[in-house]
Amino acid sequence: MFNSQPQFTIKAEKNKAFDQSCHIGTFNIKSGNIADCLEHCLENCRCQSFQICNKTKCQLCSSHKKENGSLLHDEDGCTYATYEMRHLTGHLQKLDDHCSGMSCSMKYNCCQQSDLCPNNKICKPINSQEQPWKRFTCECPEGYHGANCDEPITSCQGYTKGSQVSGMYKVVDSVGGPLYEVYCHFDSDGAWTLVQSYSFANKSLDQFKKSLANNLPISENALTWSRYRLRKPRMKSIKNNSSFLQFTCDYEKHFVIEKSDFVQIPLGKIEKSYGSENVDVLENIVTSMIRNANGRGKIGEYNLSDCEINLSQTSNWPLHVHTFNCLSCSGTKHDYFGNYNPPSACVKAVHRCVQDDKSTTQLWFGMSKDSTAQPPPGDATETSGGSVEATTDHSHTYY
């Protein structure tokens, strides 16, 4: 098949066969020629293993024993085989000298073949030591997910099925415009999308001293922790896919929320203090006393999980926590997480958002583990899970 260095290792098991449910092709070969059967498997990118029955019948399988071992059964006269690419992956450009007939780049590089990833999906080669039998995966383009890759990702919730490594991710603008980047934080509680961050030194800028009802973006296309705010339509799109708001302090110093001061507040329980009307923090003035039974948080050593919270916002005051009933400070100012004009000595002593000019305050929208809302489904791929080991009888290396 090839005339240079070893390219494949084949492991064969006698008197074993896969269930017919995984068969994707049958070919006649010379008696017992396992290399010919491997060649047919390599020409079909969905082939993950193969078997030879009655010495001349080559059958291709779309599954592998390590993932679907329950489909492997005893059958006299059959030999089941798996293969590993030893030097092929990552060096396809060097194979043309060893190929005959069709081009190697088309024959073995699956993503140069057509119709493998329908419904707007993008084919991406796989180079996995853990699953060497898998040669490609189908992924959605950036900013989209869903079975047909036609559902826009408008917040970090759309990435909860991925790597879940905190950092910059691309989402779709609320009006269907181009992709833009947001900062996503992922933890055991859920996914959070950053919509605002500013330093104590910048508290007097209009973007941070006026309500969220104002459309006052700053540095929204280049995250700067000391002065950053998304435009209102983008905030709204993110909030509509969220169940909680969250304030944090000095997030960029640790990238772990629990290492600083934070509070999570359910969006559905923010009401006007003089009635039961729910309010939209991006549209309404808020003066609300809520019991944070479904949220959690801390300031210094104070646990905020079961506090009553007064959340306030006016046309010229930013959204902020005015008071906690479980955390009292002397003096007339009790503001935390957002309104520092100026903070009392008591607040400054315990609250990390106002320790010095470089202290920062963040506002996030997102999900929490206590939320009843579910994140959107993750991207569909060609790969599957599960792992079942089977016994190997023979191992052959082919050149």
Side-chain angles (χ1 to χ4, degrees):
M1 183 163 38
F2 298 105
N3 56 20
S4 61
Q5 295 298 316
Q7 301 292 341
F8 304 95
T9 296
I10 296 179
K11 295 181 179 180
E13 300 179 44
K14 290 184 177 180
N15 299 319
K16 293 284 186 179
F18 239 116
D19 188 83
Q20 291 185 358
S21 62
C22 81
H23 290 181
I24 54 175
T26 301
F27 302 88
N28 291 323
I29 59 172
K30 295 179 181 179
S31 179
N33 194 327
I34 197 168
D36 281 354
C37 195
L38 171 62
E39 184 77 2
H40 287 296
C41 182
L42 292 174
E43 292 175 359
N44 187 324
C45 286
R46 299 186 187 279
C47 179
Q48 296 185 11
S49 61
F50 58 93
Q51 58 204 30
I52 299 174
C53 295
N54 300 322
K55 296 184 178 181
T56 60
K57 184 180 292 185
C58 169
Q59 296 175 328
L60 310 184
C61 303
S62 60
S63 297
H64 192 280
K65 68 175 184 178
K66 286 190 176 181
E67 292 186 330
N68 292 292
S70 61
L71 297 179
L72 192 63
H73 58 267
D74 295 333
E75 187 165 332
D76 293 338
C78 290
T79 298
Y80 170 75
T82 61
Y83 69 92
E84 294 182 6
M85 296 185 183
R86 299 182 58 193
H87 303 294
L88 183 62
T89 304
H91 300 282
L92 294 170
Q93 69 275 13
K94 300 179 181 179
L95 289 177
D96 282 329
D97 294 338
H98 308 297
C99 285
S100 60
M102 65 189 299
S103 168
C104 270
S105 62
M106 290 291 291
K107 192 173 185 179
Y108 300 114
N109 186 346
C110 293
C111 290
Q112 291 192 22
Q113 300 183 19
S114 61
D115 301 326
L116 284 177
C117 296
N119 299 328
N120 302 319
K121 296 183 180 72
I122 297 173
C123 181
K124 292 189 177 181
I126 294 179
N127 184 6
S128 170
Q129 294 182 351
E130 292 76 22
Q131 297 175 314
W133 58 88
K134 291 187 177 179
R135 300 161 60 191
F136 76 100
T137 184
C138 292
E139 298 180 1
C140 294
E142 279 189 309
Y144 291 87
H145 66 161
N148 296 321
C149 292
D150 56 358
E151 300 174 21
I153 295 176
T154 57
S155 76
C156 299
Q157 313 307 323
Y159 291 103
T160 54
K161 298 296 184 180
S163 63
Q164 296 194 6
V165 176
S166 298
M168 302 301 296
Y169 289 78
K170 290 185 178 180
V171 298
V172 178
D173 193 275
S174 58
V175 294
L179 297 175
Y180 69 98
E181 285 191 320
V182 293
Y183 187 90
C184 298
H185 175 80
F186 301 103
D187 58 21
S188 59
D189 284 328
W192 301 91
T193 308
L194 181 70
V195 297
Q196 179 175 277
S197 178
Y198 64 97
S199 66
F200 185 55
N202 287 330
K203 65 184 182 299
S204 297
L205 295 179
D206 279 351
Q207 287 86 353
F208 312 120
K209 72 177 183 180
K210 292 189 176 182
S211 77
L212 298 179
N214 296 285
N215 186 24
L216 297 170
I218 184 171
S219 304
E220 65 172 348
N221 294 318
L223 173 59
T224 302
W225 295 98
S226 62
R227 41 185 293 160
Y228 172 81
R229 176 165 165 164
L230 293 179
R231 68 187 67 175
K232 184 178 175 182
R234 290 180 175 179
M235 279 196 189
K236 191 172 186 67
S237 178
I238 295 167
K239 185 190 71 66
N240 288 344
N241 196 29
S242 304
S243 56
F244 278 69
L245 68 80
Q246 176 173 246
F247 289 105
T248 59
C249 297
D250 282 344
Y251 172 84
E252 80 285 1
K253 295 178 177 64
H254 307 286
F255 299 102
V256 178
I257 288 173
E258 289 78 3
K259 286 190 175 182
S260 190
D261 295 347
F262 73 100
V263 65
Q264 297 172 0
I265 301 171
L267 287 166
K269 293 196 173 183
I270 300 175
E271 302 174 347
K272 291 184 178 180
S273 59
Y274 48 83
S276 59
E277 178 186 355
N278 287 344
V279 297
D280 184 342
V281 295
L282 297 182
E283 301 294 343
N284 303 96
I285 296 172
V286 180
T287 53
S288 174
M289 181 69 78
I290 64 173
R291 189 168 184 81
N292 196 17
N294 292 329
R296 66 188 187 93
K298 73 179 185 67
I299 292 179
E301 298 179 354
Y302 296 93
N303 189 330
L304 308 177
S305 295
D306 202 29
C307 285
E308 285 187 350
I309 300 174
N310 186 296
L311 190 67
S312 297
Q313 179 175 241
T314 70
S315 58
N316 291 311
W317 281 4
L319 181 71
H320 66 284
V321 176
H322 186 55
T323 56
F324 295 98
N325 74 332
C326 59
L327 177 61
S328 61
C329 262
S330 59
T332 59
K333 292 291 184 181
H334 308 294
D335 297 325
Y336 304 88
F337 297 110
N339 186 30
Y340 315 124
N341 194 30
S344 67
C346 177
V347 171
K348 195 166 184 177
V350 298
H351 191 37
R352 298 190 193 186
C353 284
V354 295
Q355 293 295 298
D356 55 50
D357 282 350
K358 294 182 179 180
S359 299
T360 59
T361 301
Q362 291 77 39
L363 174 63
W364 315 71
F365 292 128
M367 294 287 184
S368 170
K369 63 183 179 181
D370 295 314
S371 171
T372 57
Q374 296 295 320
D379 299 346
T381 68
E382 289 291 331
T383 60
S384 58
S387 178
V388 180
E389 290 286 349
T391 303
T392 299
D393 294 329
H394 303 282
S395 179
H396 304 279
T397 299
Y398 283 82
Y399 293 79

